[in-house]
Structure formats: C-alpha cells, structure tokens
Amino acid sequence: MTHRWTQVFSVVLFFLCVGFPFVAGEYWLHTGILCLFYVMMASSWNLLAGYTGQVSFAHAAFAGMGAYVSGLAAIHFHVPPLLGVFLGTAVAAVLGLLLGILCIRMGGIYLSLTTLAFSEMLRIIVDNEYELTRGTMGLSVPFLLPAYSKTAAYFLMAAVTLVLLYAIHRLVRSDLGTAFRAVQNDETAAASLGLHVVRIRVVAFVISSTIAGLAGALYGHYHQLITPEILSLNLMFQVLAMTVIGGLGTFAGPIIGAVFLQFLSEYIRIYGQIHVLVFGLVALAVCRFAPEGLMGLRRRPGRLSPS
Amino acid sequence: MQDFLLYTTNGLLLGVIYALSALGVSLIVGIMNVINFSHGELYVLAGYFSALFARGLGLPVTLAALLAVIMVFIFGLILERVLLRNTYGNDMASLIITFVLSIVLQNAYLLIFGPYPQKPPGWVTGSTHLFGLFYYGNQRLAALGVGAVVIAALFVVIKKTWFGKTVRAVAQDREMAAMLGVNPTMVNMLSFGTGCALAAAAGVILSPIFPVTPTVSVGVSLTAFIVVVLGGMGSLTGCVVGGLVLGLVQNLGAAYVSSGYKHFFGFFILLLVLVVRPTGLFGQKQL
C-alpha cells in the first residue's frame, strides 16, 4: 500500500471508530469495546512474538495483574479507577521487567515454559486467596468513569487504543523496531553488530507486558467484575489466535484478526462454547497453509514480503 | 510417621508416572527441538480410549489399555505428518501449532465426552498391607510397577537397540546422521509417535486411579515440562530424577502445607531451577 492510501485508510478508520457508537445499539457497542480490548492485547503480543520472535504465554496473566491490582486498590483504598489503572499498569511493567530479566537470557523455549508456569502460578494464587480476590466468584469493582456510560467508556478505550497503535506503529519503524527484527532474524549477526540482544528482548517484553496490564485494567473496570478467567490460558489462546489468524509480524494483522474473530464469535456464540473450537481449527489451518495469516493473502504471489 | 510414609509412597507413585510422561516430552525435544504443548491432551485421549474400549466394546482391561496406547501412537504419527513436518527449523511455528492443538483437543473432548470424569475399570482389586503400617490399593501398586517397567524398557530401547542408536545419532547431529544414511524424516515421525505413546502410557496407567476430564490435561502438560526442565532438556536420566523429585515435593507439600497450592510448588521449583541452574540437573550446556 502506498503512503497516500495508508493515510486515506487511517482517516476512514478513524471516522469509523468515532461514528460507531452513534449507529450501534447497546449490544454491538459492548462488542465494540471488547474488540478494542482484544486489539490492544493482540497488537502488544504481536510486538513481542511477531517482531522479536519470543512466544510469551504470560500475556493474559499481565492483563489479569493490571485488572486485579487496580480493582483491589479501588476496593480497599478507594483509589479512583482512572488512577488505579496507572497503578495496575505500573505493577504489570515492574513484574514484566523482573520476569523478563529472569528468563530472557535463557532464550526461546525456556521463555515460553517460564511464562506458562508464571501465568498458572498467578491463577492458583488468585483461586486460592479467597479472602482477598474472592476466588472464582470474581471481584466487583467500580466503573471506569465516575458516571456509568457505555459510550463514554467506548471513547476512552478507543482513544487509548489509537494512541497505543500509533505508538506501536512509530516504534516498529524506529531504530529500536529495526533492532527487534534484527534480533529475531539473526541473533548472532545482531550481536556482532554491537546490539545488546538480551537487553533488546527485555525491552520488548516489558513494553508488551505493560500494554497488556493497561488493557486488562481498563477492561476490568469496564466490566465491573474481575474473575480469574482474565488470566487464564483461554484468554491467552484467543489473543494468540487473533494475532496468528490476522498475520503475525504485520502491523494491521492483529487489529484485523481481533475485530474479525470478535465479531465472528458473537455470531457463533449461540451454538455455545463451540467458538473456541472454531477459532482453534481456523488458527491451525492458517498456521499450516497460510503462515502469514489474513495479511498474507493481500500480497500477490511472487512478490517479496516487505519486512 | 505412618502418614509420612503414605505420602511418600504416593509421591513415589506419581513421581514414576511424571517421569514416564516427561520422557515423552524429552524425547521429542531432544530429537526434534519441538516442545509439544498438547502432551497432556494425548494423555487424556488415552484415558478416554481405554475407557471406551473396556466399557463400550467390553474388551479385557489390559488389552483396552494397550490398544489405547497404540491408537494414540498412530494419532501422533498423523499429527507429525499433517501439522509439524513443514515447521522444522522454525521453533516458533511448532510452539504455536502445538499450543493451538491443545486448545482444539480440549474443546473437542468437551464437545464429544462432556465435562464428566471418565474412568476405565481398574486392572486389579483389593489392597495390600504395606510396611505393616497402612493399606495401599493394589491398583496403585500395579501402576507403580507397570510405570517402572515401561521406563526401564524405554531405556533399553534407547541405549541398546538399532532404533535407539539412530535416534541418538539424529539428536546429536542431524546432518551427519543423514549423510550416514539415516532418514531423519522417518526418525522424526517415529520419535514424535513414541513421545505421544509415552503420554498415552501414563494416561492409561493413571486414569483408573484419577479419572480423566477435558481439563486435567493442562496440569499433565505443565508437570511434564517442569520435570523436563528440572532434569535438563533432553536428558533421560534427568527426567526420572526430576519426576521423582517433583512427585515427592508436590505430595509432601500438599499434605503438610496446603493442598490448594499443590501445583504451585511445582512451578515454584521450576522458577528456582531456572534461576540457579538454567540447564537443569543433568542438562548439557547446549540447547
């Protein structure tokens, strides 16, 4: 796509986002807000997996961390949600830094295993510490804004999502973004060029975890109920499936994947939990036959991929 | 004292089965450099198959168990052929595929078998008076024995037979092995199948004691991964030692600290080992 078309596309998208709540009913507005949450989650996971090649399974755990920290602060210390969201994000960032330093030096498979273990540990703690987290019953938390309004919540989430997307867009085109891809493509060559491979990976991991924490905290206060479901592997799977189906390592892939799958799941939800199975089968087929996802279909055969 | 011995025996039993299950993961990691995230789902599948063959078709229980392992072995061969074969060299693709596969299988089980626990009939009945202190179910003793025998058999196959030598050659240096006339594609397929069959063996041994549901698989996979990392990626001896350590820690921890945190102890050990000695107890420097 040429630069001009990208601009036109962005403007159209922006107005679609702004106009959406005026045409959508209550139900579709809710779906739209969920889409925004998934766009944030999938885009930030893609930043890590698609651009630096590290598969983390703790992404949902960081979202849960953001949600629970903010929720607990609001309940026990009456911190206003908008301030609590920052607190939750900060805690997720610090935890991401610690976990990143701990396990990224060991590389590939170890990162996946450690993040998986971390996320299950967190789930066990939340399930068991009933007095604090109310276990599987879920934690009731105040609404995101002082007055309840779905439309206002939508605009807030949309604004945050657009800012994050713009930041990610700038980031992947910056020197740091180039360093991300250099590390993914050839670690040894990147190191010989003087790049600090471990530090670059940790930076990507922390940025990604921070965004997940922010998305989780916003989502928790919008939903007004935080359950261990948010840090489960099921949510992790949905984020992963959205990114993979949309196109790993492309900017638009996770956005398209998240919106497409979220709306799809609204249509097939009437058949019960079958939507998870459908997502899974689609994701498997994409991995096997079209590893570049929906974004890959756009490219004409024979043309080299831009990255 | 009596309680302590009981918990220890239980820990040893689980430890042997953990080791058996982890050997499957370790074999696949060592040879194909693929972490199979759907390991636990294959364990559960074997449990379903043996319950189905024994109750539905009325086959003798041991035959049903054996048949279940063979079925999962064949399923493993198909999975390797259809999903994994063209991902070699791309660690991330195989990681994502097996993770997605695990979610697909879990939801498929939920759809087909429902959320209810399924339990194949036991092989033996009654109980034995152990150490003159407590009664212990014969089914559990049989599980311990069969598990130990299968592990011993695997060691003999890997260390002594032609197949074992081929597999070790491919694990050590794929290109050199290929030059010497080994067919690495065939070795990959067979080792993936064997890894799945080991998960299935653990599944048919434990499912008469702990019934299978679609969701127990997550715990099975995670324990297998912990054992593999604990023992050192690709080390078979490490698997056995790691399995026993984890079995004992989980059971004693659940008994004396808190049962809700049973699996937590495993993850905690995993993190600890990764911090102190990332290559595991018996791991080599590489990988």
Side-chain angles (χ1 to χ4, degrees):
Chain A
M1 227 185 292
T2 56
H3 186 63
R4 189 177 179 79
W5 279 110
T6 313
Q7 279 181 333
V8 172
F9 186 67
S10 307
V11 170
V12 170
L13 203 66
F14 179 77
F15 282 105
L16 268 182
C17 280
V18 173
F20 181 72
F22 300 107
V23 290
E26 190 88 331
Y27 173 76
W28 289 110
L29 189 57
H30 174 71
T31 309
I33 293 176
L34 288 186
C35 277
L36 292 172
F37 168 68
Y38 282 116
V39 166
M40 283 191 255
M41 291 290 285
S43 293
S44 68
W45 190 76
N46 177 49
L47 188 65
L48 187 67
Y51 288 96
T52 71
Q54 313 171 82
V55 179
S56 157
F57 289 116
H59 213 63
F62 283 114
M65 204 67 216
Y68 270 102
V69 167
S70 177
L72 287 171
I75 290 173
H76 293 290
F77 305 105
H78 304 287
V79 175
L82 286 177
L83 201 65
V85 167
F86 280 103
L87 197 64
T89 312
V91 172
V94 172
L95 260 173
L97 181 65
L98 293 179
L99 193 62
I101 290 174
L102 175 69
C103 59
I104 280 176
R105 64 197 159 89
M106 295 172 303
I109 288 172
Y110 285 101
L111 177 78
S112 301
L113 291 180
T114 325
T115 47
L116 194 65
F118 172 78
S119 112
E120 280 296 288
M121 268 170 91
L122 213 58
R123 192 184 58 78
I124 291 173
I125 295 175
V126 170
D127 271 354
N128 278 284
E129 296 302 319
Y130 181 82
E131 287 83 13
L132 189 66
T133 62
R134 301 198 44 79
T136 45
M137 298 263 295
L139 198 66
S140 294
V141 296
F143 191 67
L144 195 52
L145 299 161
Y148 186 87
S149 156
K150 259 199 179 129
T151 316
Y154 172 86
F155 279 123
L156 180 65
M157 295 271 282
V160 174
T161 310
L162 288 178
V163 169
L164 283 179
L165 286 180
Y166 180 69
I168 290 174
H169 185 81
R170 290 296 299 266
L171 180 65
V172 295
R173 271 151 191 81
S174 69
D175 290 351
L176 188 60
T178 316
F180 283 176
R181 277 184 298 254
V183 166
Q184 176 182 22
N185 289 336
D186 193 337
E187 199 175 309
T188 325
S192 69
L193 286 173
L195 291 175
H196 198 304
V197 172
V198 173
R199 197 176 297 157
I200 289 167
R201 290 202 160 138
V202 172
V203 167
F205 189 78
V206 172
I207 296 175
S208 176
S209 314
T210 311
I211 300 178
L214 174 64
L218 288 172
Y219 175 76
H221 281 295
Y222 161 71
H223 232 281
Q224 294 170 279
L225 182 71
I226 305 169
T227 63
E229 189 61 26
I230 191 177
L231 39 83
S232 70
L233 286 178
N234 252 342
L235 178 70
M236 187 60 241
F237 161 72
Q238 294 206 19
V239 171
L240 182 146
M242 284 163 172
T243 315
V244 169
I245 290 173
L248 199 62
T250 59
F251 177 75
I255 306 172
I256 293 171
V259 174
F260 172 67
L261 283 192
Q262 186 52 39
F263 276 92
L264 182 71
S265 80
E266 293 304 324
Y267 279 107
I268 54 181
R269 205 179 289 276
I270 42 170
Y271 305 110
Q273 275 293 312
I274 201 169
H275 70 281
V276 184
L277 184 61
V278 173
F279 283 17
L281 288 173
V282 174
L284 270 187
V286 167
C287 288
R288 176 65 179 78
F289 298 107
E292 290 184 39
L294 290 178
M295 283 302 288
L297 300 178
R298 195 172 57 85
R299 287 186 200 120
R300 269 158 279 149
R303 216 177 107 192
L304 284 174
S305 61
S307 61
Chain B
M1 189 60 204
Q2 190 175 336
D3 287 346
F4 177 76
L5 272 177
L6 179 64
Y7 299 138
T8 312
T9 318
N10 267 331
L12 278 179
L13 162 71
L14 279 181
V16 168
I17 309 297
Y18 287 168
L20 182 62
S21 159
L23 281 168
V25 173
S26 190
L27 197 68
I28 298 175
V29 169
I31 293 157
M32 305 164 64
N33 207 13
V34 166
I35 281 270
N36 181 13
F37 275 94
S38 56
H39 196 71
E41 281 70 25
L42 297 164
Y43 166 107
V44 170
L45 185 64
Y48 281 135
F49 272 146
S50 63
L52 201 68
F53 294 147
R55 292 199 199 282
L57 303 179
L59 294 176
V61 281
T62 40
L63 184 65
L66 203 63
L67 215 56
V69 174
I70 294 171
M71 293 288 280
V72 173
F73 174 73
I74 296 171
F75 187 57
L77 297 183
I78 297 173
L79 287 180
E80 195 277 342
R81 179 70 192 82
V82 176
L83 291 176
L84 291 173
R85 184 160 294 179
N86 61 349
T87 66
Y88 295 135
N90 184 351
D91 291 352
M92 199 165 73
S94 57
L95 206 66
I96 289 176
I97 285 187
T98 57
F99 180 72
V100 173
L101 180 68
S102 84
I103 303 275
V104 166
L105 287 178
Q106 267 176 47
N107 283 281
Y109 298 160
L110 199 62
L111 205 67
I112 301 168
F113 302 101
Y116 324 105
Q118 303 267 346
K119 189 175 172 182
W123 310 338
V124 283
T125 51
S127 54
T128 308
H129 205 215
L130 271 193
F131 311 118
L133 282 171
F134 54 84
Y135 283 95
Y136 203 68
N138 282 340
Q139 177 66 35
R140 287 179 176 235
L141 287 176
L144 190 64
V146 174
V149 168
V150 176
I151 292 177
L154 182 77
F155 268 79
V156 172
V157 168
I158 296 286
K159 299 281 179 210
K160 302 284 179 205
T161 64
W162 179 84
F163 173 70
K165 280 179 190 151
T166 316
V167 159
R168 278 184 291 146
V170 172
Q172 225 165 50
D173 191 334
R174 170 172 300 269
E175 273 152 34
M176 188 55 89
M179 252 184 271
L180 292 173
V182 174
N183 179 355
T185 317
M186 193 47 88
V187 169
N188 273 345
M189 196 164 168
L190 283 178
S191 1
F192 192 79
T194 311
C196 297
L198 287 170
V204 295
I205 291 172
L206 272 195
S207 55
I209 305 171
F210 305 103
V212 289
T213 65
T215 45
V216 294
S217 52
V218 179
V220 175
S221 293
L222 286 170
T223 16
F225 299 156
I226 292 171
V227 169
V228 168
V229 175
L230 207 60
M233 289 253 186
S235 159
L236 298 185
T237 320
C239 267
V240 176
V241 176
L244 291 175
V245 169
L246 186 67
L248 286 174
V249 168
Q250 274 193 358
N251 265 274
L252 295 176
Y256 291 108
V257 188
S258 156
S259 60
Y261 279 95
K262 183 177 172 182
H263 287 287
F264 186 87
F265 303 122
F267 302 134
F268 188 70
I269 291 185
L270 173 69
L271 286 181
L272 210 66
V273 169
L274 284 174
V275 174
V276 181
R277 197 178 149 79
T279 48
L281 300 173
F282 293 84
Q284 295 94 7
K285 273 273 179 282
Q286 59 184 34
L287 243 165

